Amino acid sequence: MDRMHDADIDACTCHHLDYRLAVAERHRAEAQRAHDGVRNWTDAVIASVHAHPDGTAIMRRAAEACDTSHRAGAEKTRHRRPNAPSAPRSAH
């Protein structure tokens, strides 16, 4: 961007590939930690439900509710109207 404003600038101010890679790896590690936390929570909830005397029935109802919700979402997506294309923006 700096070169766009000053064509005579000597140094490139772009982020180098190694910097961008480090940022991407940090974001991936953060996402993995978040996923692991959710997975641990989910596993604990599932184990608790299975330990409950009515665990099998609870899991069956949850699966049915999930299936119903999934089908409703798929149905909604199938009948959704596509967005109208936006008018091109003029460059001033």
Side-chain angles (χ1 to χ4, degrees):
M1 287 303 283
D2 289 343
R3 192 172 298 275
M4 183 177 84
H5 295 291
D6 182 1
D8 296 326
I9 195 169
D10 290 332
C12 178
T13 58
C14 298
H15 292 296
H16 295 280
L17 186 57
D18 55 344
Y19 170 81
R20 291 174 28 199
L21 178 61
V23 169
E25 287 174 341
R26 188 179 75 237
H27 288 173
R28 185 194 176 286
E30 290 170 1
Q32 186 64 52
R33 280 192 298 276
H35 176 266
D36 291 346
V38 170
R39 185 65 197 197
N40 288 339
W41 171 258
T42 303
D43 290 346
V45 169
I46 290 171
S48 297
V49 170
H50 281 297
H52 190 278
D54 294 329
T56 303
I58 293 169
M59 291 302 286
R60 186 179 318 108
R61 285 193 304 269
E64 290 167 356
C66 182
D67 186 50
T68 301
S69 174
H70 176 73
R71 276 188 270 123
E75 188 72 18
K76 198 182 295 184
T77 301
R78 193 163 39 116
H79 292 295
R80 188 178 350 155
R81 276 191 239 165
N83 294 334
S86 59
R89 293 182 180 171
S90 61
H92 291 273

